[in-house]
Structures are given as C-alpha cells and as structure tokens.
Amino acid sequence: MYVTGQNAWRHLDQWPPAGGETVRYLQSDGRLLADEPSDGAPSSYVYDPANPTPTLGGPLLTLDGGVKDNAKLESRPDVLTFTTDPLTAPLEIMGTPVVDLAHTRTNPHADVFVRLCDVDPKGVSRNVAEGFLRLDPTSPLDQVQTVRVRLDACAHEVKAGHRIRLLIAGGCHPRYARNEGTGALPGTGTELRPCTHTVHHDSGAVSRVSLPTPVRPAPR
C-alpha cells in the first residue's frame, strides 16, 4: 500500500489494517475537536443549482483530477469547513472515513458532498478523500436527520504540525450532475430550486467524522 503524505510503501497483512478510529466533532466555530459540543448555533449554507458548487480535482480520469489546492472551493459561500488544531504527532488514516451529519434542509431534493483535506503549516488545503450522497426525498424536513457519508478508502499520513479539515457542500458539478431541486431526472428539468442546508452541532444533535487509524505492529 502506498501511503500518501508519508510518500512510502507499506506492506500490510490485510485491508483495512486492524486498528481503531479517531473521532473529531464539528463545532459551531468551524473547528474539529475531540470533545463533543455542548451547545452552539448551527451552520448553514445555500446550494443554488443555478451556480452549483464546482468539481475541483479528486478521483477523475482527466488532467483536472488528483490532489489540488482547495482554496477557491473553500472560499465559496456554499461551502462549510471545519478544521482541527495543528497535530502534535503524525496521524495515519487507513481505511474508509465516515462522516455523520446532524442535518436539516429546506428542499426534499438535495445532495451532500464531503471532502477530507490535509492542511499544511502554510495553510494550503489539499484533498485526501471524498464522498457524495443523494438524500432520500421522503425523509421529513421538519426534524434533524443523521446523514452518513462514506468517503473514499484512503491510506494517508497527516504530519505533525498539519491540520485536518472537513469540507461540506451541496454538490460537486460536473462530476456529479447538479441536483435541480425538483425531483426531475438530471438534465431534464425546466426549473431550478435552491436548498438551504443546516449542519447541527450541539448536545442534542452531534455531527462528527470518524477516521480509521491502524495499530502499527512492533518492528521486527
């Protein structure tokens, strides 16, 4: 297995390797912390299919794919970011990261896009893994729902001094066809309806990211 960030090959007995998980909780101030939030106002953004959140890099079979500087994406008003403090020790992520969002929306026809990023000491944010989910249009709009997004499997080391960032948006166009917000098949609708997404992070509605962390065997 080639471990990005570490830029080295690793021989494993199994995939994913045995281990546990490192959990970080989304906070109202845009941070990712080890402690669950006790209170805090929710975070919201508006996804507008007339100006859909664009695709930037990622697992594409084109010259535009791969690891990119996410600054332009993260500066958009339809994108939320949550970031840890600088790590005091390296953290290996090996397996499938999972993001659970306490989520509400104003339109039953909506998508959620999540990207895991590695932020270096200079503040450059680079993508590591991502996931996309088209939400169930029959789920109620008047109550908080737990939305689970499974990201791409990855093998990556976040170095000491780097930070981990979670990016959340309502789409990734054109890699995923924009959700027109009407329930029509993609590309067939005659109108576009925006959606306000709200991510909750308080004691009654917890949002978190679970990072699979392997147990390294003792050297032989």
Side-chain angles (χ1 to χ4, degrees):
M1 179 63 62
Y2 188 78
V3 183
T4 57
Q6 193 179 84
N7 300 323
W9 289 94
R10 179 79 56 78
H11 295 279
L12 304 176
D13 294 328
Q14 65 184 43
W15 179 264
E21 63 179 11
T22 296
V23 178
R24 292 294 180 265
Y25 296 91
L26 284 64
Q27 311 288 326
S28 60
D29 58 1
R31 291 194 295 169
L32 280 175
L33 299 179
D35 298 326
E36 291 191 26
S38 58
D39 54 30
S43 304
S44 299
Y45 63 93
V46 178
Y47 172 79
D48 185 357
N51 181 25
T53 316
T55 299
L56 177 65
L60 305 174
L61 297 177
T62 68
L63 296 178
D64 296 328
V67 177
K68 302 293 182 181
D69 181 345
N70 285 267
K72 289 184 178 180
L73 191 59
E74 294 172 353
S75 65
R76 288 178 59 97
D78 57 354
V79 170
L80 297 178
T81 59
F82 298 86
T83 311
T84 67
D85 294 330
L87 302 188
T88 58
L91 178 68
E92 286 187 339
I93 303 170
M94 286 195 182
T96 301
V98 176
V99 176
D100 290 303
L101 299 178
H103 179 268
T104 54
R105 64 192 192 278
T106 59
N107 188 329
H109 305 286
D111 304 329
V112 172
F113 174 77
V114 180
R115 171 171 279 184
L116 180 69
C117 302
D118 182 332
V119 185
D120 69 19
K122 295 182 179 180
V124 179
S125 174
R126 297 180 174 88
N127 45 301
V128 175
E130 59 192 51
F132 175 88
L133 181 66
R134 178 144 292 185
L135 303 181
D136 180 0
T138 64
S139 60
L141 300 180
D142 56 352
Q143 57 184 274
V144 177
Q145 301 287 316
T146 299
V147 173
R148 169 163 287 191
V149 183
R150 296 174 62 85
L151 310 190
D152 302 320
C154 61
H156 181 78
E157 179 184 78
V158 183
K159 296 183 179 297
H162 288 222
R163 293 174 290 159
I164 298 169
R165 176 169 292 163
L166 203 64
L167 179 157
I168 302 172
C172 178
H173 180 76
R175 184 188 176 196
Y176 299 101
R178 64 179 177 176
N179 194 321
E180 298 173 352
T182 63
L185 293 176
T188 67
T190 59
E191 62 175 313
L192 302 174
R193 296 178 186 171
C195 177
T196 299
H197 294 255
T198 301
V199 176
H200 302 263
H201 22 66
D202 55 49
S203 58
V206 174
S207 298
R208 69 178 199 168
V209 56
S210 302
L211 304 171
T213 50
V215 176
R216 297 197 64 174
R220 292 179 293 180

